[in-house]
Short mmCIF file of all heavy atoms in Angstrom, two decimals:
data_model
loop_
_atom_site.label_atom_id
_atom_site.label_comp_id
_atom_site.label_asym_id
_atom_site.label_seq_id
_atom_site.Cartn_x
_atom_site.Cartn_y
_atom_site.Cartn_z
N ASN A 4 -0.07 5.41 -0.03
CA ASN A 4 -1.36 5.57 -0.77
C ASN A 4 -2.56 5.82 0.22
O ASN A 4 -2.84 4.84 1.03
CB ASN A 4 -1.60 4.50 -1.79
CG ASN A 4 -2.85 4.79 -2.62
OD1 ASN A 4 -3.17 5.93 -2.90
ND2 ASN A 4 -3.51 3.68 -3.05
N LYS A 5 -3.30 6.86 0.02
CA LYS A 5 -4.51 7.02 0.82
C LYS A 5 -5.79 7.10 -0.03
O LYS A 5 -6.83 7.33 0.50
CB LYS A 5 -4.39 8.31 1.59
CG LYS A 5 -3.23 8.26 2.64
CD LYS A 5 -3.35 7.25 3.80
CE LYS A 5 -2.25 7.37 4.82
NZ LYS A 5 -0.89 7.14 4.39
N ASN A 6 -5.58 6.94 -1.34
CA ASN A 6 -6.77 7.01 -2.27
C ASN A 6 -6.88 5.66 -2.88
O ASN A 6 -5.99 5.08 -3.41
CB ASN A 6 -6.46 8.03 -3.32
CG ASN A 6 -6.50 9.56 -2.64
OD1 ASN A 6 -7.49 10.09 -2.55
ND2 ASN A 6 -5.28 9.98 -2.31
N PHE A 7 -8.21 5.17 -2.99
CA PHE A 7 -8.46 3.91 -3.55
C PHE A 7 -9.77 3.92 -4.25
O PHE A 7 -10.65 4.88 -4.20
CB PHE A 7 -8.70 2.88 -2.37
CG PHE A 7 -7.49 2.69 -1.58
CD1 PHE A 7 -7.15 3.48 -0.49
CD2 PHE A 7 -6.56 1.66 -1.94
CE1 PHE A 7 -6.01 3.31 0.30
CE2 PHE A 7 -5.46 1.44 -1.16
CZ PHE A 7 -5.13 2.29 -0.02
N GLU A 8 -9.88 3.08 -5.35
CA GLU A 8 -11.16 2.90 -6.02
C GLU A 8 -12.22 2.43 -5.15
O GLU A 8 -13.31 2.90 -5.18
CB GLU A 8 -11.05 1.95 -7.18
CG GLU A 8 -10.08 2.48 -8.30
CD GLU A 8 -9.99 1.50 -9.44
OE1 GLU A 8 -9.41 0.50 -9.32
OE2 GLU A 8 -10.54 1.88 -10.58
N VAL A 9 -11.88 1.47 -4.25
CA VAL A 9 -12.91 0.93 -3.32
C VAL A 9 -12.26 0.75 -1.93
O VAL A 9 -11.21 0.29 -1.78
CB VAL A 9 -13.42 -0.47 -3.82
CG1 VAL A 9 -14.54 -1.01 -2.98
CG2 VAL A 9 -13.82 -0.37 -5.31
N ILE A 10 -13.05 1.17 -0.99
CA ILE A 10 -12.68 0.95 0.48
C ILE A 10 -13.81 -0.11 0.98
O ILE A 10 -15.03 0.15 0.86
CB ILE A 10 -12.63 2.19 1.27
CG1 ILE A 10 -11.49 3.09 0.87
CG2 ILE A 10 -12.46 1.76 2.77
CD1 ILE A 10 -11.50 4.40 1.61
N ILE A 11 -13.29 -1.23 1.51
CA ILE A 11 -14.15 -2.25 2.16
C ILE A 11 -13.93 -2.12 3.67
O ILE A 11 -12.82 -2.28 4.09
CB ILE A 11 -13.80 -3.60 1.55
CG1 ILE A 11 -14.02 -3.72 0.16
CG2 ILE A 11 -14.72 -4.66 2.28
CD1 ILE A 11 -13.56 -5.09 -0.47
N LEU A 25 -13.05 -7.96 -6.66
CA LEU A 25 -12.38 -6.80 -7.15
C LEU A 25 -10.96 -6.86 -7.48
O LEU A 25 -10.58 -6.28 -8.54
CB LEU A 25 -12.72 -5.56 -6.07
CG LEU A 25 -14.13 -5.13 -5.92
CD1 LEU A 25 -14.32 -4.48 -4.62
CD2 LEU A 25 -14.53 -4.27 -7.05
N GLY A 26 -10.26 -7.60 -6.65
CA GLY A 26 -8.86 -7.83 -6.96
C GLY A 26 -8.66 -8.53 -8.29
O GLY A 26 -7.60 -8.25 -8.95
N SER A 28 -10.15 -8.08 -10.83
CA SER A 28 -10.41 -7.14 -11.87
C SER A 28 -9.48 -5.97 -11.79
O SER A 28 -9.64 -4.97 -12.39
CB SER A 28 -11.87 -6.57 -11.93
OG SER A 28 -12.84 -7.59 -12.29
N LEU A 29 -8.38 -6.23 -10.97
CA LEU A 29 -7.29 -5.23 -10.90
C LEU A 29 -7.86 -3.84 -10.25
O LEU A 29 -7.32 -2.81 -10.57
CB LEU A 29 -6.57 -5.09 -12.20
CG LEU A 29 -5.87 -6.25 -12.77
CD1 LEU A 29 -5.21 -5.83 -14.08
CD2 LEU A 29 -4.81 -6.79 -11.78
N ARG A 30 -8.79 -3.92 -9.47
CA ARG A 30 -9.30 -2.71 -8.79
C ARG A 30 -8.37 -2.41 -7.51
O ARG A 30 -7.94 -3.30 -6.90
CB ARG A 30 -10.80 -2.84 -8.35
CG ARG A 30 -11.71 -2.99 -9.46
CD ARG A 30 -11.69 -1.74 -10.46
NE ARG A 30 -12.61 -1.84 -11.58
CZ ARG A 30 -12.63 -1.03 -12.52
NH1 ARG A 30 -11.86 0.07 -12.50
NH2 ARG A 30 -13.59 -1.14 -13.42
N ASN A 31 -8.15 -1.14 -7.34
CA ASN A 31 -7.30 -0.67 -6.26
C ASN A 31 -8.18 -0.58 -4.98
O ASN A 31 -9.06 0.24 -4.87
CB ASN A 31 -6.75 0.66 -6.61
CG ASN A 31 -5.69 1.19 -5.59
OD1 ASN A 31 -5.14 0.34 -4.81
ND2 ASN A 31 -5.45 2.47 -5.54
N VAL A 32 -7.94 -1.59 -4.11
CA VAL A 32 -8.86 -1.87 -3.00
C VAL A 32 -8.11 -1.83 -1.76
O VAL A 32 -6.96 -2.29 -1.49
CB VAL A 32 -9.51 -3.29 -3.13
CG1 VAL A 32 -10.45 -3.56 -2.01
CG2 VAL A 32 -10.24 -3.35 -4.45
N LEU A 33 -8.85 -1.20 -0.72
CA LEU A 33 -8.40 -1.28 0.70
C LEU A 33 -9.37 -1.94 1.62
O LEU A 33 -10.57 -1.57 1.59
CB LEU A 33 -8.08 0.15 1.23
CG LEU A 33 -7.82 0.31 2.66
CD1 LEU A 33 -6.41 -0.44 2.96
CD2 LEU A 33 -7.75 1.71 3.16
N ILE A 34 -8.99 -2.90 2.34
CA ILE A 34 -9.77 -3.44 3.42
C ILE A 34 -9.46 -2.97 4.77
O ILE A 34 -8.26 -2.95 5.13
CB ILE A 34 -9.70 -5.08 3.46
CG1 ILE A 34 -9.92 -5.64 2.04
CG2 ILE A 34 -10.59 -5.60 4.43
CD1 ILE A 34 -9.55 -7.12 1.87
N THR A 75 -3.36 -5.64 -6.13
CA THR A 75 -4.02 -4.41 -6.03
C THR A 75 -4.85 -4.25 -4.75
O THR A 75 -5.53 -3.24 -4.58
CB THR A 75 -4.93 -4.05 -7.24
OG1 THR A 75 -5.90 -5.18 -7.25
CG2 THR A 75 -4.08 -4.04 -8.50
N VAL A 76 -4.92 -5.38 -3.95
CA VAL A 76 -5.67 -5.34 -2.73
C VAL A 76 -4.76 -5.13 -1.50
O VAL A 76 -3.74 -5.80 -1.32
CB VAL A 76 -6.41 -6.74 -2.53
CG1 VAL A 76 -7.22 -6.64 -1.23
CG2 VAL A 76 -7.36 -6.93 -3.70
N LYS A 91 -14.41 14.56 -3.76
CA LYS A 91 -13.30 13.61 -3.97
C LYS A 91 -13.65 12.15 -3.79
O LYS A 91 -13.07 11.37 -4.27
CB LYS A 91 -12.06 13.98 -3.07
CG LYS A 91 -11.51 15.29 -3.34
CD LYS A 91 -10.27 15.48 -2.41
CE LYS A 91 -9.62 16.80 -2.53
NZ LYS A 91 -8.52 17.03 -1.69
N GLY A 92 -14.75 11.91 -3.06
CA GLY A 92 -15.27 10.55 -2.77
C GLY A 92 -15.62 10.48 -1.37
O GLY A 92 -16.05 11.45 -0.65
N PHE A 93 -15.46 9.31 -0.81
CA PHE A 93 -15.83 9.00 0.43
C PHE A 93 -14.57 9.06 1.43
O PHE A 93 -13.65 8.30 1.18
CB PHE A 93 -16.57 7.68 0.68
CG PHE A 93 -17.86 7.58 0.00
CD1 PHE A 93 -17.94 7.03 -1.30
CD2 PHE A 93 -18.99 7.95 0.69
CE1 PHE A 93 -19.10 6.99 -2.02
CE2 PHE A 93 -20.25 7.92 -0.02
CZ PHE A 93 -20.25 7.43 -1.37
N PHE A 103 -8.60 7.80 4.84
CA PHE A 103 -8.48 7.16 3.41
C PHE A 103 -9.69 7.68 2.59
O PHE A 103 -10.79 8.08 3.17
CB PHE A 103 -8.61 5.65 3.50
CG PHE A 103 -7.42 5.03 4.28
CD1 PHE A 103 -7.69 4.62 5.56
CD2 PHE A 103 -6.23 4.83 3.74
CE1 PHE A 103 -6.62 4.01 6.37
CE2 PHE A 103 -5.16 4.20 4.48
CZ PHE A 103 -5.36 3.87 5.70
N ILE A 104 -9.49 7.72 1.28
CA ILE A 104 -10.54 8.27 0.40
C ILE A 104 -10.81 7.15 -0.63
O ILE A 104 -9.90 6.58 -1.17
CB ILE A 104 -10.23 9.55 -0.39
CG1 ILE A 104 -9.92 10.61 0.74
CG2 ILE A 104 -11.35 10.01 -1.28
CD1 ILE A 104 -9.36 12.05 0.10
N GLY A 105 -12.08 6.79 -0.85
CA GLY A 105 -12.54 5.80 -1.87
C GLY A 105 -13.62 6.30 -2.62
O GLY A 105 -14.44 7.08 -2.25
N LYS A 106 -13.55 5.87 -4.01
CA LYS A 106 -14.70 6.31 -4.88
C LYS A 106 -15.92 5.52 -4.44
O LYS A 106 -17.06 6.07 -4.66
CB LYS A 106 -14.27 5.86 -6.24
CG LYS A 106 -13.10 6.74 -6.93
CD LYS A 106 -12.79 6.35 -8.27
CE LYS A 106 -11.63 7.11 -8.88
NZ LYS A 106 -11.27 6.60 -10.24
N LYS A 107 -15.78 4.29 -4.13
CA LYS A 107 -16.94 3.43 -3.70
C LYS A 107 -16.55 2.90 -2.34
O LYS A 107 -15.47 2.66 -1.94
CB LYS A 107 -17.07 2.28 -4.67
CG LYS A 107 -17.29 2.72 -6.14
CD LYS A 107 -18.56 3.36 -6.39
CE LYS A 107 -18.74 3.75 -7.80
NZ LYS A 107 -19.88 4.42 -8.22
N ILE A 108 -17.76 2.59 -1.57
CA ILE A 108 -17.52 2.04 -0.26
C ILE A 108 -18.33 0.77 -0.23
O ILE A 108 -19.60 0.72 -0.67
CB ILE A 108 -18.06 2.93 0.83
CG1 ILE A 108 -17.23 4.18 0.89
CG2 ILE A 108 -17.95 2.31 2.32
CD1 ILE A 108 -15.83 4.04 1.40
N ILE A 109 -17.82 -0.32 0.41
CA ILE A 109 -18.56 -1.58 0.75
C ILE A 109 -18.55 -1.77 2.12
O ILE A 109 -17.40 -1.81 2.79
CB ILE A 109 -17.99 -2.79 0.01
CG1 ILE A 109 -18.10 -2.66 -1.48
CG2 ILE A 109 -18.77 -4.02 0.45
CD1 ILE A 109 -17.38 -3.77 -2.27
N GLY A 265 -23.12 4.88 -4.59
CA GLY A 265 -21.68 4.63 -4.41
C GLY A 265 -21.53 3.75 -3.15
O GLY A 265 -20.25 3.49 -2.83
N VAL A 266 -22.53 3.47 -2.40
CA VAL A 266 -22.33 2.73 -1.13
C VAL A 266 -23.05 1.40 -1.21
O VAL A 266 -24.28 1.37 -1.58
CB VAL A 266 -22.83 3.50 0.13
CG1 VAL A 266 -22.70 2.69 1.30
CG2 VAL A 266 -22.14 4.89 0.24
N PHE A 267 -22.27 0.35 -0.92
CA PHE A 267 -22.84 -0.99 -0.89
C PHE A 267 -22.76 -1.69 0.51
O PHE A 267 -21.89 -1.21 1.37
CB PHE A 267 -22.17 -1.89 -1.91
CG PHE A 267 -22.34 -1.50 -3.40
CD1 PHE A 267 -21.92 -0.22 -3.85
CD2 PHE A 267 -23.18 -2.23 -4.18
CE1 PHE A 267 -21.99 0.16 -5.16
CE2 PHE A 267 -23.42 -1.77 -5.52
CZ PHE A 267 -22.87 -0.64 -5.99
N VAL A 293 -19.94 -3.42 -7.69
CA VAL A 293 -19.06 -2.30 -7.57
C VAL A 293 -18.11 -2.17 -8.84
O VAL A 293 -17.99 -1.06 -9.46
CB VAL A 293 -18.28 -2.29 -6.26
CG1 VAL A 293 -17.11 -1.22 -6.32
CG2 VAL A 293 -19.16 -2.03 -5.19
N ASN A 294 -17.59 -3.29 -9.23
CA ASN A 294 -16.70 -3.33 -10.39
C ASN A 294 -17.55 -2.92 -11.62
O ASN A 294 -16.99 -2.11 -12.46
CB ASN A 294 -16.21 -4.66 -10.59
CG ASN A 294 -15.13 -4.75 -11.89
OD1 ASN A 294 -14.16 -4.01 -11.79
ND2 ASN A 294 -15.56 -5.44 -12.77
N GLU A 296 -20.11 -0.84 -11.76
CA GLU A 296 -20.27 0.61 -11.71
C GLU A 296 -19.10 1.45 -12.10
O GLU A 296 -19.07 2.35 -12.84
CB GLU A 296 -20.64 1.09 -10.21
CG GLU A 296 -22.17 0.90 -9.95
CD GLU A 296 -22.64 1.80 -8.77
OE1 GLU A 296 -21.86 2.49 -8.25
OE2 GLU A 296 -23.82 1.59 -8.47
N LEU A 297 -17.93 0.92 -11.65
CA LEU A 297 -16.64 1.60 -11.89
C LEU A 297 -16.39 1.46 -13.47
O LEU A 297 -15.90 2.35 -14.12
CB LEU A 297 -15.51 0.99 -11.14
CG LEU A 297 -15.40 1.30 -9.69
CD1 LEU A 297 -14.41 0.46 -8.88
CD2 LEU A 297 -15.08 2.80 -9.47
N THR A 298 -16.76 0.27 -13.99
CA THR A 298 -16.54 0.03 -15.42
C THR A 298 -17.39 0.97 -16.27
O THR A 298 -16.91 1.59 -17.15
CB THR A 298 -16.86 -1.48 -15.72
OG1 THR A 298 -15.92 -2.26 -15.10
CG2 THR A 298 -16.76 -1.70 -17.28
N HIS A 299 -18.56 1.12 -15.93
CA HIS A 299 -19.50 2.00 -16.57
C HIS A 299 -19.07 3.49 -16.51
O HIS A 299 -19.26 4.24 -17.57
CB HIS A 299 -21.01 1.96 -16.02
CG HIS A 299 -21.58 0.61 -16.53
ND1 HIS A 299 -22.76 0.18 -15.87
CD2 HIS A 299 -21.28 -0.40 -17.35
CE1 HIS A 299 -23.12 -0.97 -16.41
NE2 HIS A 299 -22.15 -1.32 -17.28
N GLU A 300 -18.53 3.85 -15.51
CA GLU A 300 -18.00 5.32 -15.24
C GLU A 300 -16.77 5.53 -16.05
O GLU A 300 -16.51 6.70 -16.45
CB GLU A 300 -17.78 5.47 -13.77
CG GLU A 300 -19.09 5.50 -12.98
CD GLU A 300 -18.83 5.56 -11.46
OE1 GLU A 300 -17.60 5.65 -11.00
OE2 GLU A 300 -19.80 5.32 -10.58
N GLN A 301 -15.95 4.46 -16.26
CA GLN A 301 -14.58 4.71 -16.82
C GLN A 301 -14.51 4.34 -18.31
O GLN A 301 -13.62 4.85 -18.98
CB GLN A 301 -13.53 3.84 -15.96
CG GLN A 301 -13.49 4.32 -14.56
CD GLN A 301 -12.65 3.39 -13.72
OE1 GLN A 301 -12.34 2.29 -14.17
NE2 GLN A 301 -12.52 3.74 -12.44
N PHE A 302 -15.34 3.53 -18.84
CA PHE A 302 -15.26 2.93 -20.17
C PHE A 302 -15.84 3.89 -21.21
O PHE A 302 -17.04 4.30 -21.06
CB PHE A 302 -15.97 1.57 -20.21
CG PHE A 302 -15.61 0.85 -21.57
CD1 PHE A 302 -14.44 0.36 -21.84
CD2 PHE A 302 -16.67 0.71 -22.35
CE1 PHE A 302 -14.12 -0.28 -23.00
CE2 PHE A 302 -16.37 0.06 -23.69
CZ PHE A 302 -15.12 -0.45 -23.98
#
Side-chain angles (χ1 to χ4, degrees):
N4 182 29
K5 300 294 187 295
N6 293 274
F7 296 86
E8 289 181 291
V9 187
I10 295 176
I11 299 172
L25 289 159
S28 288
L29 297 181
R30 294 300 180 186
N31 188 19
V32 178
L33 173 67
I34 305 167
T75 61
V76 180
K91 294 181 179 180
F93 295 94
F103 300 100
I104 301 175
K106 293 179 182 177
K107 308 286 181 183
I108 298 290
I109 298 176
V266 180
F267 293 72
V293 167
N294 183 62
E296 279 201 1
L297 290 169
T298 298
H299 288 169
E300 291 167 7
Q301 297 167 359
F302 187 70

